[in-house]
């Protein structure tokens, strides 16, 4: 009788162990299946390089500050222009090669003086349209090396191309066109999606 009870107790213990082990194995297998599935929903590095949209937090972007992000393997600048910076855009138009953005270097919604959706926020590829060099953000007014008429903008030290604070190219420089404005959309006042023109593409 005692032996029978001992055998039943051992069998019950084994049964509980097997049930527990099977549950753990099933959970691990489920996680193993779910993880790649969830990861597949997020853009991979390869997808980002191919042009997957990039979400940017601009909540801490102070006026006058330039933020650099990467999209499609290129640097994209997000500049929070001050009211004083915006005032310069009209002043320099006579010196620009394409002040009205007639050439197709931006989406239709950025074909305006500020080349942006929100006047204060400029989104542009930080690439010179001459040979693909990286210009320098020069917000200083009338520096000795750029002249007394310089009101701030982007300067390419490689070959001397100059762009205003909307990424519009000056006349008589090697760069033939304005800087490229990539497709973008605002998800909220503080979230910007670069590489898409619709929220559903995030």
């Amino acid at each position: 009788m005692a032996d029978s009870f001992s055998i039943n107790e051992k069998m019950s213990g084994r049964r509980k162990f097997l049930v527990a082990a099977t549950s753990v194995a099933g959970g691990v297998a489920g996680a193993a299946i779910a993880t790649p599935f969830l990861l597949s929903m997020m853009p991979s590095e390869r997808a980002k390089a191919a042009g997957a949209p990039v979400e940017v937090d601009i909540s801490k972007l102070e006026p006058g500050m330039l933020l650099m992000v990467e999209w499609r393997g290129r640097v994209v600048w997000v500049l929070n222009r001050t009211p004083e910076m915006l005032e310069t855009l009209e002043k320099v138009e006579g010196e620009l090669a394409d002040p009205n953005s007639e050439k197709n270097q931006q989406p239709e919604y950025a074909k305006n003086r500020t080349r942006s959706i929100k006047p204060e926020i400029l989104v542009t590829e930080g690439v010179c349209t001459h040979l693909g060099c990286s210009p320098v953000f020069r917000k200083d007014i009338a520096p000795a090396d750029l002249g007394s008429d310089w009101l701030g903008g982007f300067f390419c030290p490689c070959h001397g191309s100059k762009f205003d604070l909307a990424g519009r190219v000056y006349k008589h420089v090697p760069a033939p066109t304005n800087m490229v404005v990539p497709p973008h959309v605002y998800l909220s006042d503080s979230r910007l999606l670069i590489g898409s023109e619709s929220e559903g593409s995030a």
Side-chain angles (χ1 to χ4, degrees), residues 53-61 65 67 76-81 86 107 109-110 112 114-124 181-202:
V54 176
E55 191 172 330
V56 183
D57 181 1
I58 59 171
S59 61
K60 296 179 181 177
L61 189 63
M65 185 185 293
L67 176 67
V76 173
W77 291 334
V78 183
L79 174 63
N80 188 353
R81 294 174 289 203
L86 289 171
Y109 50 79
N112 50 51
T114 61
R115 300 186 78 224
S116 60
I117 298 172
K118 295 184 177 184
E120 68 277 15
I121 303 293
L122 171 68
V123 180
T124 185
V181 174
H184 59 282
V185 65
Y186 287 89
L187 304 178
S188 69
D189 288 339
S190 62
R191 306 297 294 185
L192 175 66
L193 189 67
I194 297 171
S196 174
E197 297 178 343
S198 62
E199 295 183 24
S201 299

Side-chain angles (χ1 to χ4, degrees), residues 89-167:
L89 300 183
E90 184 176 2
K91 294 176 181 177
V92 300
E93 285 186 346
E95 303 172 45
L96 304 177
D98 184 15
N100 298 317
S101 300
E102 297 296 335
K103 293 184 179 176
N104 190 24
Q105 292 292 96
Q106 63 284 310
E108 195 62 32
Y109 50 79
K111 192 175 179 181
N112 50 51
R113 177 174 286 156
T114 61
R115 300 186 78 224
S116 60
I117 298 172
K118 295 184 177 184
E120 68 277 15
I121 303 293
L122 171 68
V123 180
T124 185
E125 291 185 11
V127 179
C128 179
T129 55
H130 177 219
L131 293 176
C133 302
S134 182
V136 180
F137 177 39
R138 296 288 301 272
K139 63 179 178 179
D140 44 339
I141 305 296
D145 61 328
L146 292 176
S148 59
D149 58 346
W150 180 257
L151 298 178
F154 307 99
F155 174 68
C156 186
C158 300
H159 303 97
S161 293
K162 297 189 288 185
F163 305 84
D164 78 340
L165 289 166

